[in-house]
Amino acid sequence: MLIPHANLCPFFVPTPSSLSYEDCKATADWLLTQTDMRPTVGIVCGSGLGGLADLLKDQVAFNYKDIPNFPQSTGHRPLSDPEGKLITLPMRIFKLLGVQTVVITNAAGGLNQDFKVGDIMIIKDHINLPGFAGNNPLVGPNDERFGVRFPCMSDAYDRDLQQLAMEVGQELGYGDFLKEGVYCVLGGPSFETIAECRMLHLLGVDAVGMSTVHEVIVARHCGMRVFALSLITNLAVTDYDSEEKANHEEVLQAGKQRAEQMERLVSSVALPERS
């Protein structure tokens, strides 16, 4: 099952801040009645990477508006959802559908000086910078039916899948542009300032973006394995004399150029029977 993940949403969406276990189960049960398929892998598509859907056979598609209790977002993250509870709702529904592994892709800005536009970074760890101020999707009452109160995040990204991806990438001839590193999430929707980029670089961040981390936290809370990739679609600006400026069109264009190879890598790791 795939969930497209659009970027950039400065719009207010009047929806509840969270949904109960019963609400999530009602949504999952509705989806299960609409198809005989029983997914074991869930994929979240980042900006410009929606072509992953074309890899799936016997597709069954649903409009968000038809799915009970599903958030009607017009983009990256509704401002009425500061902790990211709505964008992580699909993770809990994945769990109740029987999904065991979640694959997440995103478009990110490269901070590592060795990265180039078009590189694919296997995420080995993350920094939830908004979390330092209490912005965490697990804030609030915990329902043990989803997961424990204080879930471990030292193994947030499945190491076996990371190793498999590196091996598969080498076999596919991706060695020149397949990297691994630490991803940091910021709130967006504005891109980072030069000072922010310099700070993140000092913290050991390799790539920065506006998504993924909240979904990963909830997926791990639910006990699912996580594998995540960042497509480096622009290089973060760290020089005040630079004329470069980050823009969303650049992100989408870079996504188009490398999307096919990224999709092949994902399919070989997560959907080997379809690659």
Side-chain angles (χ1 to χ4, degrees):
M1 182 176 185
L2 277 84
I3 294 290
H5 191 94
N7 263 1
L8 299 177
C9 173
F11 305 111
F12 178 82
V13 181
T15 47
S17 61
S18 62
L19 293 174
S20 68
Y21 179 91
E22 288 74 21
D23 291 328
C24 293
K25 189 173 188 310
T27 302
D29 289 345
W30 182 88
L31 289 167
L32 291 172
T33 64
Q34 306 302 306
T35 175
D36 293 330
M37 296 182 182
R38 296 298 179 262
T40 59
V41 177
I43 303 176
V44 179
C45 305
S47 292
L49 300 168
L52 284 167
D54 297 332
L55 299 172
L56 303 180
K57 299 178 181 179
D58 305 319
Q59 297 180 25
V60 179
F62 303 100
N63 289 321
Y64 277 18
K65 64 181 179 61
D66 296 329
I67 304 176
N69 303 318
F70 220 69
Q72 303 300 303
S73 175
T74 54
H76 185 267
R77 182 180 300 163
L79 292 184
S80 61
D81 181 33
E83 281 83 36
K85 290 183 172 65
L86 293 178
I87 61 170
T88 57
L89 172 65
M91 297 301 104
R92 287 178 169 150
I93 293 173
F94 276 170
K95 177 65 175 179
L96 295 174
L97 288 173
V99 168
Q100 300 171 10
T101 302
V102 175
V103 178
I104 303 176
T105 67
N106 65 49
L111 282 166
N112 188 310
Q113 300 302 303
D114 295 328
F115 284 6
K116 303 180 297 296
V117 171
D119 283 350
I120 297 173
M121 186 186 83
I122 299 169
I123 300 178
K124 66 178 181 181
D125 205 351
H126 72 235
I127 295 177
N128 177 18
L129 201 58
F132 292 5
N135 189 329
N136 188 299
L138 302 183
V139 167
N142 185 63
D143 192 321
E144 292 286 336
R145 290 172 290 184
F146 286 126
V148 298
R149 170 72 281 183
F150 300 106
C152 176
M153 287 293 145
S154 62
D155 60 350
Y157 299 87
D158 190 276
R159 290 171 188 146
D160 290 338
L161 291 176
Q162 292 174 48
Q163 181 62 37
L164 175 61
M166 290 299 295
E167 294 171 359
V168 169
Q170 293 297 326
E171 293 173 1
L172 292 173
Y174 295 174
D176 289 342
F177 57 84
L178 186 61
K179 315 290 185 179
E180 66 173 11
V182 175
Y183 175 85
C184 180
V185 64
L186 297 182
S190 59
F191 286 97
E192 304 77 34
T193 67
I194 292 174
E196 289 167 345
C197 289
R198 288 182 169 189
M199 178 194 70
L200 294 174
H201 180 65
L202 289 173
L203 290 176
V205 174
D206 297 293
V208 59
M210 308 172 193
S211 65
T212 301
V213 169
H214 286 81
E215 292 96 320
V216 170
I217 291 171
V218 173
R220 291 299 296 138
H221 180 244
C222 290
M224 294 182 287
R225 303 169 76 195
V226 173
F227 173 67
L229 295 171
S230 290
L231 176 59
I232 305 303
T233 51
N234 63 286
L235 298 180
V237 180
T238 58
D239 184 356
Y240 283 104
D241 294 326
S242 174
E243 296 296 325
E244 296 294 324
K245 293 184 179 181
N247 65 85
H248 196 50
E249 288 70 27
E250 178 185 31
V251 168
L252 296 177
Q253 183 59 37
K256 291 179 182 177
Q257 293 175 351
R258 189 65 82 187
E260 183 178 343
Q261 287 146 312
M262 193 167 183
E263 290 157 8
R264 189 176 180 192
L265 178 62
V266 169
S267 66
S268 299
V269 172
L271 309 168
E273 72 280 3
R274 301 182 188 277
S275 58

